Amino acid sequence: MSDQNVRNAGFSPSGIKGGSLASSMMSHEAKASGGGVRSGGPTSTLQEMGARGSTHSSGFTSSGISSASQASQMMSREARSHGGGTPRGGTTSTVQSISMGGKGGR
């Protein structure tokens, strides 16, 4: 189900769909960073997954983050860089939220 949720949000093999949650996220992220979308951020991470067509191989699943996965490593790095927790609106929480059918951490 998480793969479909990522596609439903507008992240697809052909790019970000106009008028979608994905395009709104991209616009918000670009404005917040002065005009660009950073590599490794929520938008680029989700678009990479949408282009590949699979979130499961990364460890973001509809039941949570898989242990010993790319997602768990990302969560660990993000938590260390923020003093022990993953911030709301950060890459890990946003990608996991959308993978589970939510609207991200915004």
Side-chain angles (χ1 to χ4, degrees):
M1 184 61 179
S2 58
D3 294 336
Q4 187 61 45
N5 291 333
V6 170
R7 284 190 293 276
N8 289 346
F11 299 98
S12 74
S14 58
I16 290 177
K17 295 179 184 174
S20 67
L21 173 61
S23 66
S24 176
M25 280 181 60
M26 182 173 67
S27 175
H28 177 61
E29 193 174 337
K31 287 176 186 172
S33 66
V37 175
R38 70 177 177 86
S39 176
T43 303
S44 65
T45 300
L46 283 157
Q47 181 51 40
E48 179 183 340
M49 291 175 183
R52 267 198 327 257
S54 177
T55 59
H56 293 289
S57 63
S58 300
F60 292 98
T61 72
S62 57
S63 59
I65 292 176
S66 300
S67 63
S69 66
Q70 178 186 358
S72 68
Q73 291 170 4
M74 180 186 299
M75 183 174 66
S76 179
R77 279 192 309 270
E78 193 170 18
R80 280 193 306 271
S81 72
H82 287 90
T86 55
R88 179 184 169 106
T91 300
T92 304
S93 63
T94 300
V95 173
Q96 184 58 36
S97 174
I98 289 175
S99 294
M100 294 180 78
K103 298 190 185 297
R106 305 235 177 260

